[in-house]
Amino acid sequence: MQRIIKNGQVIDETWHLLDKDATLDGLSNSDDLIVPLALWREHAHALKVRDGGLGVWLDSDEEVEEIADELGNFKVIALNFPSFTDGRHYSSARLLRERYGYQGEIRAIGDVLRDQLFFMQRCGFDAFAIRADRDPHDALQSLQDFSVCYQGAVDQTPLFRRRQG
Amino acid sequence: MYVYDQYDQHIIEDRVRQFRDQTRRYLAGELSEEEFRPLRLQNGLYIQRYAPMLRVAVPYGLLSSRQLRKLAQIARDYDKGYAHISTRQNVQFNWPELEDVPEILAELATVQMHAIQTSGNCIRNTTTDQFAGVARDELVDPRPWCEIIRQWSTFHPEFAFLPRKFKIAVNGAVNDRAAIEVHDIGLEAVRNSAGELGFRVSVGGGLGRTPIVGSFINEFLPWQHLLTYLDAVLRVYNRYGRRDNKFKARIKILVKALTPEVFAERVNAEWMHLKDGPATLTEAEVERIGRCFVDPAYRSLEDQEIALARLDVEHPGFARWRTRNVFAHKKPGYAAVTLSLKPTGTAPGDITDKQLDALADLADRYSFGEVRNSHEQNIILADVEQARLFELWGELRELGFATPNVGLLTDIICCPGGDYCSLANAKSIPIAEAIQRRFDDLDYLFDIGEIDLNISGCMNACGHHHVGHIGILGVDKKGAEFYQVSLGGSASRDASLGQILGPSFAQEEMAAVIEKIITVYVEKRVEDERFIDTFRRIGIEPFKERVYAANH
């Protein structure tokens, strides 16, 4: 079973991540599913009435604005990194947390490696599906890479505001 | 200059620890070459033609004598005894061993230095006027603003994996010595009619494969909103900049594709959400940073015009040096002195460990223990008493720093080129040297007057050839090295890009080609007209005719 990092701990993965070209055929009613944006677009109603949990995932060229009015439907929003050097979803995560007030899980999926985690958590990610060939336990350490940060992000205000306190 | 507190120190020590572990994992095979690459690049570590190259950050070019001594020691212990001043006002070491880099970073951290974001697709070292804080034409000291930007950009979590590198420059003077219009973001500190401070913002300038002069998208951004506005610009770029083609990934391509007007609208729309948020700057913070950049303990002095004029008469060499390498200072009785790193026969910008140590000593004795690097790859002692200029000149001559060529044809901006850089198509240092040798007559050099000659060994334009009054670009033609010449570039206010003269030349032709160009200028100029002004008046044709005439 795959293990993911959630809230700073390694836990068993219970959600099913559907492929980009997935259809409704053969989906179990009770599984927890993270569906691609296209499937949600086409079958929102059918997906909403299932018993299992619902999440959606966005590829790096898909924008959070697309789902901004529908965030209440999702327990998980997974943001895909086709390559770990593609930084678009760092902005997506901040927008979800700071502009749209999304409180559910924001999960990094795809080419997710430990040296990205510190930045990702500052942008609002709280779950990380580390690339399958890497040990999530090793990756945990990177969440503590820095003890101080200058600029504000989702996790804290800028240092210059805290300095004054 | 800015002095670290416990927070700043923590951050660079955390970084040393992090990079030490990243290097360990790479050497142990836990990180692939591809995975390690962006990590080492964000720490200024390139794999070059012969060895790694480590680029050390020098925020806005400012260095203390203590830091200079540490750089000298690193040059001795880990390199071949020299360092190189880059066009981003940073310092580069060309021969460190990869295994030693964590230790070098630990050494640097003891003097409040690091290599954070000196390369890679992230926000690079913010640059500014090398005469910041001392120039007579200055309206606002840009250094505190550069430091505020440094802190904001250091490990900015959202912008660590941008489509491409990102460069910001700040100017606070009447003249633009920071080349702001050829940066991804150029900031010009200005005051509005009410005397309030703000920034005029240019975006989308840059050199490289597609050189573009930036567009001003905001004529007055109140200072409180500097960081929220930068966040907005960077966010639009991060989300919408092209990532499919690295040659089209710079913000300039996005600004051009959208048009500056539409880009500005996008930024404004984003900024409306961020404006007045937590990143809004406070007076307390600006004052805190500003206190690090107050004037040193200047003495109350008078300008030494008569005494210096007398020395000029007795010592023509001193007069020449003073004309070219000494810059007017805002305080009476003081001067800013540029140490030329461009003597003939030395790679432009190179400095040895002994020179670094000697420089630290000079900084302590003549200039309050500080120096600045310029983007023209020279070093400045910014606060020298005029009464001590003659004495200093003597010391600089012994050290090889007194070549009186600042701003002249032989003060060449030059990338390391094919001798060192694996990206280069052609060598650049031997071209610079050949030109320096051809123009070794100081009287002639002085007669030619102010001229920027910039050389790049490839399209990436590290030598800023597009904005040289004369630009030289190394090109590859069927495996052989050739050189293309452009004329009319300028990195100053109202920046312009050079026009290509015509077909390229072989290496051995270059000095003669430059000589022909200069001859045309000397013939056509009126009175004290600078090369760039003559060029703008007469256009490229007369140069073209002369240079290519002999080839037919």
PDB file of all heavy atoms in Angstrom, chain A residues 94 150-152 160, chain B residues 117 123 126 146-157 159 166 168 185 226-232 234 279:
ATOM      1  N   ARG A  94      -1.545  28.552  -2.735  1.00  0.00           N
ATOM      2  CA  ARG A  94      -1.746  29.800  -1.975  1.00  0.00           C
ATOM      3  C   ARG A  94      -3.101  30.412  -2.276  1.00  0.00           C
ATOM      4  O   ARG A  94      -3.789  30.899  -1.380  1.00  0.00           O
ATOM      5  CB  ARG A  94      -0.646  30.813  -2.302  1.00  0.00           C
ATOM      6  CG  ARG A  94       0.678  30.486  -1.673  1.00  0.00           C
ATOM      7  CD  ARG A  94       1.609  31.688  -1.678  1.00  0.00           C
ATOM      8  NE  ARG A  94       1.232  32.662  -0.645  1.00  0.00           N
ATOM      9  CZ  ARG A  94       1.977  33.720  -0.338  1.00  0.00           C
ATOM     10  NH1 ARG A  94       3.095  33.946  -0.981  1.00  0.00           N
ATOM     11  NH2 ARG A  94       1.595  34.541   0.606  1.00  0.00           N
ATOM     12  N   TYR A 150      11.754  34.645   5.980  1.00  0.00           N
ATOM     13  CA  TYR A 150      11.586  36.099   5.888  1.00  0.00           C
ATOM     14  C   TYR A 150      10.160  36.497   5.517  1.00  0.00           C
ATOM     15  O   TYR A 150       9.512  37.281   6.197  1.00  0.00           O
ATOM     16  CB  TYR A 150      12.512  36.673   4.811  1.00  0.00           C
ATOM     17  CG  TYR A 150      13.964  36.776   5.199  1.00  0.00           C
ATOM     18  CD1 TYR A 150      14.938  36.090   4.473  1.00  0.00           C
ATOM     19  CD2 TYR A 150      14.372  37.595   6.256  1.00  0.00           C
ATOM     20  CE1 TYR A 150      16.284  36.211   4.792  1.00  0.00           C
ATOM     21  CE2 TYR A 150      15.715  37.708   6.578  1.00  0.00           C
ATOM     22  CZ  TYR A 150      16.668  37.019   5.842  1.00  0.00           C
ATOM     23  OH  TYR A 150      17.993  37.140   6.144  1.00  0.00           O
ATOM     24  N   GLN A 151       9.723  35.969   4.371  1.00  0.00           N
ATOM     25  CA  GLN A 151       8.477  36.481   3.809  1.00  0.00           C
ATOM     26  C   GLN A 151       7.273  35.727   4.358  1.00  0.00           C
ATOM     27  O   GLN A 151       7.377  34.607   4.815  1.00  0.00           O
ATOM     28  CB  GLN A 151       8.500  36.427   2.278  1.00  0.00           C
ATOM     29  CG  GLN A 151       8.631  35.063   1.667  1.00  0.00           C
ATOM     30  CD  GLN A 151       9.893  34.336   2.008  1.00  0.00           C
ATOM     31  OE1 GLN A 151       9.849  33.450   2.838  1.00  0.00           O
ATOM     32  NE2 GLN A 151      11.009  34.711   1.405  1.00  0.00           N
ATOM     33  N   GLY A 152       6.126  36.365   4.295  1.00  0.00           N
ATOM     34  CA  GLY A 152       4.909  35.697   4.709  1.00  0.00           C
ATOM     35  C   GLY A 152       4.472  34.684   3.667  1.00  0.00           C
ATOM     36  O   GLY A 152       4.877  34.740   2.513  1.00  0.00           O
ATOM     37  N   PHE A 160       9.141  40.631   9.284  1.00  0.00           N
ATOM     38  CA  PHE A 160       9.230  42.008   9.786  1.00  0.00           C
ATOM     39  C   PHE A 160       8.036  42.358  10.675  1.00  0.00           C
ATOM     40  O   PHE A 160       8.147  43.214  11.534  1.00  0.00           O
ATOM     41  CB  PHE A 160       9.431  43.016   8.649  1.00  0.00           C
ATOM     42  CG  PHE A 160       8.284  43.204   7.689  1.00  0.00           C
ATOM     43  CD1 PHE A 160       7.181  43.972   8.048  1.00  0.00           C
ATOM     44  CD2 PHE A 160       8.316  42.639   6.427  1.00  0.00           C
ATOM     45  CE1 PHE A 160       6.138  44.171   7.148  1.00  0.00           C
ATOM     46  CE2 PHE A 160       7.275  42.834   5.520  1.00  0.00           C
ATOM     47  CZ  PHE A 160       6.177  43.594   5.879  1.00  0.00           C
TER      48      PHE A 160
ATOM     49  N   GLN B 117      20.371  31.449  -4.284  1.00  0.00           N
ATOM     50  CA  GLN B 117      19.678  31.985  -5.463  1.00  0.00           C
ATOM     51  C   GLN B 117      20.577  32.817  -6.386  1.00  0.00           C
ATOM     52  O   GLN B 117      20.129  33.774  -6.996  1.00  0.00           O
ATOM     53  CB  GLN B 117      18.437  32.782  -5.025  1.00  0.00           C
ATOM     54  CG  GLN B 117      17.361  31.869  -4.491  1.00  0.00           C
ATOM     55  CD  GLN B 117      16.184  32.554  -3.809  1.00  0.00           C
ATOM     56  OE1 GLN B 117      15.549  31.965  -2.961  1.00  0.00           O
ATOM     57  NE2 GLN B 117      15.873  33.766  -4.179  1.00  0.00           N
ATOM     58  N   ILE B 123      14.410  34.015  -8.099  1.00  0.00           N
ATOM     59  CA  ILE B 123      14.732  35.439  -8.071  1.00  0.00           C
ATOM     60  C   ILE B 123      16.211  35.607  -7.689  1.00  0.00           C
ATOM     61  O   ILE B 123      16.631  35.181  -6.621  1.00  0.00           O
ATOM     62  CB  ILE B 123      13.830  36.186  -7.077  1.00  0.00           C
ATOM     63  CG1 ILE B 123      12.360  35.944  -7.427  1.00  0.00           C
ATOM     64  CG2 ILE B 123      14.150  37.688  -7.094  1.00  0.00           C
ATOM     65  CD1 ILE B 123      11.377  36.387  -6.353  1.00  0.00           C
ATOM     66  N   THR B 126      19.469  40.950  -6.314  1.00  0.00           N
ATOM     67  CA  THR B 126      19.018  42.280  -6.726  1.00  0.00           C
ATOM     68  C   THR B 126      20.233  43.194  -6.843  1.00  0.00           C
ATOM     69  O   THR B 126      21.104  43.204  -5.973  1.00  0.00           O
ATOM     70  CB  THR B 126      18.019  42.824  -5.694  1.00  0.00           C
ATOM     71  OG1 THR B 126      16.869  41.984  -5.708  1.00  0.00           O
ATOM     72  CG2 THR B 126      17.592  44.247  -6.024  1.00  0.00           C
ATOM     73  N   CYS B 146      16.822  47.498  -1.757  1.00  0.00           N
ATOM     74  CA  CYS B 146      17.431  46.247  -2.246  1.00  0.00           C
ATOM     75  C   CYS B 146      17.458  45.207  -1.126  1.00  0.00           C
ATOM     76  O   CYS B 146      17.200  44.020  -1.367  1.00  0.00           O
ATOM     77  CB  CYS B 146      18.856  46.490  -2.724  1.00  0.00           C
ATOM     78  SG  CYS B 146      18.976  47.469  -4.212  1.00  0.00           S
ATOM     79  N   GLU B 147      17.752  45.642   0.077  1.00  0.00           N
ATOM     80  CA  GLU B 147      17.818  44.701   1.199  1.00  0.00           C
ATOM     81  C   GLU B 147      16.414  44.175   1.531  1.00  0.00           C
ATOM     82  O   GLU B 147      16.239  42.981   1.812  1.00  0.00           O
ATOM     83  CB  GLU B 147      18.456  45.371   2.425  1.00  0.00           C
ATOM     84  CG  GLU B 147      18.471  44.536   3.696  1.00  0.00           C
ATOM     85  CD  GLU B 147      19.178  43.189   3.573  1.00  0.00           C
ATOM     86  OE1 GLU B 147      20.077  43.041   2.718  1.00  0.00           O
ATOM     87  OE2 GLU B 147      18.804  42.261   4.335  1.00  0.00           O
ATOM     88  N   ILE B 148      15.433  45.046   1.463  1.00  0.00           N
ATOM     89  CA  ILE B 148      14.046  44.600   1.692  1.00  0.00           C
ATOM     90  C   ILE B 148      13.663  43.559   0.641  1.00  0.00           C
ATOM     91  O   ILE B 148      13.055  42.529   0.958  1.00  0.00           O
ATOM     92  CB  ILE B 148      13.097  45.829   1.679  1.00  0.00           C
ATOM     93  CG1 ILE B 148      13.256  46.590   3.007  1.00  0.00           C
ATOM     94  CG2 ILE B 148      11.655  45.412   1.441  1.00  0.00           C
ATOM     95  CD1 ILE B 148      12.625  47.962   3.028  1.00  0.00           C
ATOM     96  N   ILE B 149      14.067  43.811  -0.594  1.00  0.00           N
ATOM     97  CA  ILE B 149      13.770  42.841  -1.668  1.00  0.00           C
ATOM     98  C   ILE B 149      14.573  41.554  -1.457  1.00  0.00           C
ATOM     99  O   ILE B 149      14.079  40.451  -1.685  1.00  0.00           O
ATOM    100  CB  ILE B 149      14.060  43.458  -3.054  1.00  0.00           C
ATOM    101  CG1 ILE B 149      13.094  44.608  -3.315  1.00  0.00           C
ATOM    102  CG2 ILE B 149      13.960  42.411  -4.162  1.00  0.00           C
ATOM    103  CD1 ILE B 149      13.481  45.491  -4.500  1.00  0.00           C
ATOM    104  N   ARG B 150      15.814  41.708  -0.998  1.00  0.00           N
ATOM    105  CA  ARG B 150      16.628  40.504  -0.734  1.00  0.00           C
ATOM    106  C   ARG B 150      15.920  39.593   0.261  1.00  0.00           C
ATOM    107  O   ARG B 150      15.804  38.387   0.058  1.00  0.00           O
ATOM    108  CB  ARG B 150      18.008  40.869  -0.171  1.00  0.00           C
ATOM    109  CG  ARG B 150      18.892  39.638   0.093  1.00  0.00           C
ATOM    110  CD  ARG B 150      20.131  39.938   0.920  1.00  0.00           C
ATOM    111  NE  ARG B 150      19.869  40.131   2.334  1.00  0.00           N
ATOM    112  CZ  ARG B 150      19.734  39.147   3.233  1.00  0.00           C
ATOM    113  NH1 ARG B 150      19.825  37.889   2.854  1.00  0.00           N
ATOM    114  NH2 ARG B 150      19.479  39.420   4.494  1.00  0.00           N
ATOM    115  N   GLN B 151      15.443  40.173   1.339  1.00  0.00           N
ATOM    116  CA  GLN B 151      14.812  39.347   2.368  1.00  0.00           C
ATOM    117  C   GLN B 151      13.520  38.721   1.848  1.00  0.00           C
ATOM    118  O   GLN B 151      13.268  37.539   2.066  1.00  0.00           O
ATOM    119  CB  GLN B 151      14.565  40.183   3.624  1.00  0.00           C
ATOM    120  CG  GLN B 151      15.881  40.683   4.227  1.00  0.00           C
ATOM    121  CD  GLN B 151      15.732  41.250   5.621  1.00  0.00           C
ATOM    122  OE1 GLN B 151      14.716  41.090   6.275  1.00  0.00           O
ATOM    123  NE2 GLN B 151      16.773  41.926   6.089  1.00  0.00           N
ATOM    124  N   TRP B 152      12.746  39.517   1.155  1.00  0.00           N
ATOM    125  CA  TRP B 152      11.479  39.001   0.602  1.00  0.00           C
ATOM    126  C   TRP B 152      11.739  37.854  -0.385  1.00  0.00           C
ATOM    127  O   TRP B 152      11.020  36.854  -0.409  1.00  0.00           O
ATOM    128  CB  TRP B 152      10.739  40.155  -0.082  1.00  0.00           C
ATOM    129  CG  TRP B 152       9.705  39.733  -1.067  1.00  0.00           C
ATOM    130  CD1 TRP B 152       8.413  39.348  -0.787  1.00  0.00           C
ATOM    131  CD2 TRP B 152       9.845  39.644  -2.492  1.00  0.00           C
ATOM    132  NE1 TRP B 152       7.757  39.041  -1.964  1.00  0.00           N
ATOM    133  CE2 TRP B 152       8.610  39.215  -3.017  1.00  0.00           C
ATOM    134  CE3 TRP B 152      10.896  39.902  -3.374  1.00  0.00           C
ATOM    135  CZ2 TRP B 152       8.409  39.025  -4.379  1.00  0.00           C
ATOM    136  CZ3 TRP B 152      10.692  39.709  -4.724  1.00  0.00           C
ATOM    137  CH2 TRP B 152       9.466  39.282  -5.218  1.00  0.00           C
ATOM    138  N   SER B 153      12.794  38.002  -1.202  1.00  0.00           N
ATOM    139  CA  SER B 153      13.018  37.003  -2.256  1.00  0.00           C
ATOM    140  C   SER B 153      13.763  35.765  -1.770  1.00  0.00           C
ATOM    141  O   SER B 153      13.721  34.725  -2.430  1.00  0.00           O
ATOM    142  CB  SER B 153      13.785  37.633  -3.430  1.00  0.00           C
ATOM    143  OG  SER B 153      15.062  38.068  -3.024  1.00  0.00           O
ATOM    144  N   THR B 154      14.440  35.857  -0.624  1.00  0.00           N
ATOM    145  CA  THR B 154      15.234  34.731  -0.147  1.00  0.00           C
ATOM    146  C   THR B 154      14.334  33.570   0.271  1.00  0.00           C
ATOM    147  O   THR B 154      13.548  33.693   1.206  1.00  0.00           O
ATOM    148  CB  THR B 154      16.112  35.170   1.046  1.00  0.00           C
ATOM    149  OG1 THR B 154      17.030  36.158   0.581  1.00  0.00           O
ATOM    150  CG2 THR B 154      16.901  33.984   1.609  1.00  0.00           C
ATOM    151  N   PHE B 155      14.441  32.480  -0.447  1.00  0.00           N
ATOM    152  CA  PHE B 155      13.603  31.287  -0.213  1.00  0.00           C
ATOM    153  C   PHE B 155      12.121  31.618  -0.267  1.00  0.00           C
ATOM    154  O   PHE B 155      11.334  31.086   0.506  1.00  0.00           O
ATOM    155  CB  PHE B 155      13.963  30.616   1.131  1.00  0.00           C
ATOM    156  CG  PHE B 155      15.384  30.176   1.218  1.00  0.00           C
ATOM    157  CD1 PHE B 155      16.177  30.533   2.306  1.00  0.00           C
ATOM    158  CD2 PHE B 155      15.956  29.418   0.209  1.00  0.00           C
ATOM    159  CE1 PHE B 155      17.502  30.135   2.384  1.00  0.00           C
ATOM    160  CE2 PHE B 155      17.274  29.014   0.273  1.00  0.00           C
ATOM    161  CZ  PHE B 155      18.046  29.374   1.376  1.00  0.00           C
ATOM    162  N   HIS B 156      11.737  32.518  -1.150  1.00  0.00           N
ATOM    163  CA  HIS B 156      10.306  32.775  -1.334  1.00  0.00           C
ATOM    164  C   HIS B 156       9.659  31.460  -1.762  1.00  0.00           C
ATOM    165  O   HIS B 156       9.994  30.908  -2.818  1.00  0.00           O
ATOM    166  CB  HIS B 156      10.093  33.843  -2.406  1.00  0.00           C
ATOM    167  CG  HIS B 156       8.708  34.431  -2.363  1.00  0.00           C
ATOM    168  ND1 HIS B 156       7.584  33.655  -2.484  1.00  0.00           N
ATOM    169  CD2 HIS B 156       8.280  35.706  -2.165  1.00  0.00           C
ATOM    170  CE1 HIS B 156       6.513  34.435  -2.394  1.00  0.00           C
ATOM    171  NE2 HIS B 156       6.902  35.681  -2.193  1.00  0.00           N
ATOM    172  N   PRO B 157       8.739  30.932  -0.969  1.00  0.00           N
ATOM    173  CA  PRO B 157       8.279  29.562  -1.238  1.00  0.00           C
ATOM    174  C   PRO B 157       7.492  29.424  -2.531  1.00  0.00           C
ATOM    175  O   PRO B 157       7.488  28.368  -3.147  1.00  0.00           O
ATOM    176  CB  PRO B 157       7.390  29.255  -0.026  1.00  0.00           C
ATOM    177  CG  PRO B 157       6.933  30.585   0.474  1.00  0.00           C
ATOM    178  CD  PRO B 157       8.078  31.537   0.196  1.00  0.00           C
ATOM    179  N   PHE B 159       7.958  31.145  -5.309  1.00  0.00           N
ATOM    180  CA  PHE B 159       8.685  31.481  -6.540  1.00  0.00           C
ATOM    181  C   PHE B 159      10.050  30.811  -6.623  1.00  0.00           C
ATOM    182  O   PHE B 159      11.006  31.372  -7.150  1.00  0.00           O
ATOM    183  CB  PHE B 159       8.805  33.007  -6.662  1.00  0.00           C
ATOM    184  CG  PHE B 159       7.479  33.710  -6.554  1.00  0.00           C
ATOM    185  CD1 PHE B 159       7.303  34.788  -5.693  1.00  0.00           C
ATOM    186  CD2 PHE B 159       6.393  33.280  -7.305  1.00  0.00           C
ATOM    187  CE1 PHE B 159       6.074  35.436  -5.589  1.00  0.00           C
ATOM    188  CE2 PHE B 159       5.152  33.919  -7.210  1.00  0.00           C
ATOM    189  CZ  PHE B 159       4.999  34.996  -6.349  1.00  0.00           C
ATOM    190  N   PHE B 166      15.120  35.163 -12.757  1.00  0.00           N
ATOM    191  CA  PHE B 166      14.383  36.418 -12.624  1.00  0.00           C
ATOM    192  C   PHE B 166      15.261  37.467 -11.957  1.00  0.00           C
ATOM    193  O   PHE B 166      15.766  37.266 -10.857  1.00  0.00           O
ATOM    194  CB  PHE B 166      13.120  36.186 -11.787  1.00  0.00           C
ATOM    195  CG  PHE B 166      12.092  37.254 -12.020  1.00  0.00           C
ATOM    196  CD1 PHE B 166      11.127  37.097 -13.002  1.00  0.00           C
ATOM    197  CD2 PHE B 166      12.100  38.414 -11.275  1.00  0.00           C
ATOM    198  CE1 PHE B 166      10.193  38.088 -13.233  1.00  0.00           C
ATOM    199  CE2 PHE B 166      11.170  39.410 -11.504  1.00  0.00           C
ATOM    200  CZ  PHE B 166      10.204  39.248 -12.478  1.00  0.00           C
ATOM    201  N   ILE B 168      16.060  41.491 -10.769  1.00  0.00           N
ATOM    202  CA  ILE B 168      15.491  42.777 -10.359  1.00  0.00           C
ATOM    203  C   ILE B 168      16.640  43.763 -10.129  1.00  0.00           C
ATOM    204  O   ILE B 168      17.664  43.399  -9.551  1.00  0.00           O
ATOM    205  CB  ILE B 168      14.680  42.617  -9.051  1.00  0.00           C
ATOM    206  CG1 ILE B 168      13.551  41.584  -9.245  1.00  0.00           C
ATOM    207  CG2 ILE B 168      14.098  43.964  -8.600  1.00  0.00           C
ATOM    208  CD1 ILE B 168      12.772  41.262  -7.980  1.00  0.00           C
ATOM    209  N   ILE B 185      12.427  42.977 -13.755  1.00  0.00           N
ATOM    210  CA  ILE B 185      11.759  44.112 -13.117  1.00  0.00           C
ATOM    211  C   ILE B 185      12.815  45.175 -12.857  1.00  0.00           C
ATOM    212  O   ILE B 185      13.874  44.889 -12.292  1.00  0.00           O
ATOM    213  CB  ILE B 185      11.095  43.725 -11.779  1.00  0.00           C
ATOM    214  CG1 ILE B 185       9.940  42.742 -12.007  1.00  0.00           C
ATOM    215  CG2 ILE B 185      10.546  44.989 -11.066  1.00  0.00           C
ATOM    216  CD1 ILE B 185       9.228  42.313 -10.724  1.00  0.00           C
ATOM    217  N   LEU B 226       5.390  47.966  -2.199  1.00  0.00           N
ATOM    218  CA  LEU B 226       6.441  47.385  -3.037  1.00  0.00           C
ATOM    219  C   LEU B 226       6.365  45.856  -3.078  1.00  0.00           C
ATOM    220  O   LEU B 226       6.368  45.244  -4.146  1.00  0.00           O
ATOM    221  CB  LEU B 226       7.830  47.829  -2.533  1.00  0.00           C
ATOM    222  CG  LEU B 226       9.017  47.220  -3.268  1.00  0.00           C
ATOM    223  CD1 LEU B 226       9.040  47.652  -4.726  1.00  0.00           C
ATOM    224  CD2 LEU B 226      10.338  47.595  -2.594  1.00  0.00           C
ATOM    225  N   LEU B 227       6.307  45.221  -1.916  1.00  0.00           N
ATOM    226  CA  LEU B 227       6.381  43.748  -1.899  1.00  0.00           C
ATOM    227  C   LEU B 227       5.092  43.096  -2.389  1.00  0.00           C
ATOM    228  O   LEU B 227       5.137  42.064  -3.072  1.00  0.00           O
ATOM    229  CB  LEU B 227       6.739  43.252  -0.496  1.00  0.00           C
ATOM    230  CG  LEU B 227       8.108  43.704   0.037  1.00  0.00           C
ATOM    231  CD1 LEU B 227       8.398  43.057   1.386  1.00  0.00           C
ATOM    232  CD2 LEU B 227       9.231  43.405  -0.945  1.00  0.00           C
ATOM    233  N   THR B 228       3.944  43.689  -2.054  1.00  0.00           N
ATOM    234  CA  THR B 228       2.700  43.079  -2.561  1.00  0.00           C
ATOM    235  C   THR B 228       2.647  43.191  -4.083  1.00  0.00           C
ATOM    236  O   THR B 228       2.159  42.278  -4.761  1.00  0.00           O
ATOM    237  CB  THR B 228       1.450  43.734  -1.941  1.00  0.00           C
ATOM    238  OG1 THR B 228       1.508  45.157  -2.122  1.00  0.00           O
ATOM    239  CG2 THR B 228       1.335  43.403  -0.465  1.00  0.00           C
ATOM    240  N   TYR B 229       3.174  44.277  -4.603  1.00  0.00           N
ATOM    241  CA  TYR B 229       3.176  44.454  -6.058  1.00  0.00           C
ATOM    242  C   TYR B 229       4.148  43.467  -6.713  1.00  0.00           C
ATOM    243  O   TYR B 229       3.837  42.861  -7.744  1.00  0.00           O
ATOM    244  CB  TYR B 229       3.532  45.894  -6.417  1.00  0.00           C
ATOM    245  CG  TYR B 229       3.189  46.280  -7.837  1.00  0.00           C
ATOM    246  CD1 TYR B 229       1.896  46.651  -8.189  1.00  0.00           C
ATOM    247  CD2 TYR B 229       4.167  46.272  -8.832  1.00  0.00           C
ATOM    248  CE1 TYR B 229       1.582  47.009  -9.504  1.00  0.00           C
ATOM    249  CE2 TYR B 229       3.859  46.631 -10.140  1.00  0.00           C
ATOM    250  CZ  TYR B 229       2.561  47.000 -10.464  1.00  0.00           C
ATOM    251  OH  TYR B 229       2.268  47.352 -11.762  1.00  0.00           O
ATOM    252  N   LEU B 230       5.317  43.315  -6.102  1.00  0.00           N
ATOM    253  CA  LEU B 230       6.270  42.322  -6.625  1.00  0.00           C
ATOM    254  C   LEU B 230       5.651  40.931  -6.579  1.00  0.00           C
ATOM    255  O   LEU B 230       5.789  40.140  -7.521  1.00  0.00           O
ATOM    256  CB  LEU B 230       7.575  42.349  -5.818  1.00  0.00           C
ATOM    257  CG  LEU B 230       8.463  43.585  -5.959  1.00  0.00           C
ATOM    258  CD1 LEU B 230       9.706  43.444  -5.079  1.00  0.00           C
ATOM    259  CD2 LEU B 230       8.878  43.823  -7.411  1.00  0.00           C
ATOM    260  N   ASP B 231       4.955  40.624  -5.470  1.00  0.00           N
ATOM    261  CA  ASP B 231       4.271  39.325  -5.388  1.00  0.00           C
ATOM    262  C   ASP B 231       3.298  39.162  -6.552  1.00  0.00           C
ATOM    263  O   ASP B 231       3.213  38.090  -7.157  1.00  0.00           O
ATOM    264  CB  ASP B 231       3.489  39.216  -4.058  1.00  0.00           C
ATOM    265  CG  ASP B 231       4.338  38.633  -2.927  1.00  0.00           C
ATOM    266  OD1 ASP B 231       5.129  37.718  -3.182  1.00  0.00           O
ATOM    267  OD2 ASP B 231       4.189  39.086  -1.770  1.00  0.00           O
ATOM    268  N   ALA B 232       2.575  40.231  -6.851  1.00  0.00           N
ATOM    269  CA  ALA B 232       1.578  40.154  -7.925  1.00  0.00           C
ATOM    270  C   ALA B 232       2.248  39.915  -9.279  1.00  0.00           C
ATOM    271  O   ALA B 232       1.817  39.064 -10.052  1.00  0.00           O
ATOM    272  CB  ALA B 232       0.739  41.429  -7.961  1.00  0.00           C
ATOM    273  N   LEU B 234       5.204  38.608  -9.872  1.00  0.00           N
ATOM    274  CA  LEU B 234       5.808  37.263  -9.905  1.00  0.00           C
ATOM    275  C   LEU B 234       4.744  36.177 -10.015  1.00  0.00           C
ATOM    276  O   LEU B 234       4.954  35.161 -10.677  1.00  0.00           O
ATOM    277  CB  LEU B 234       6.663  37.052  -8.645  1.00  0.00           C
ATOM    278  CG  LEU B 234       8.158  37.361  -8.716  1.00  0.00           C
ATOM    279  CD1 LEU B 234       8.868  36.433  -9.683  1.00  0.00           C
ATOM    280  CD2 LEU B 234       8.431  38.789  -9.096  1.00  0.00           C
ATOM    281  N   ALA B 279       1.980  41.584   3.711  1.00  0.00           N
ATOM    282  CA  ALA B 279       3.286  41.951   3.134  1.00  0.00           C
ATOM    283  C   ALA B 279       3.413  43.456   2.917  1.00  0.00           C
ATOM    284  O   ALA B 279       4.447  43.925   2.431  1.00  0.00           O
ATOM    285  CB  ALA B 279       3.511  41.200   1.823  1.00  0.00           C
TER     286      ALA B 279
END
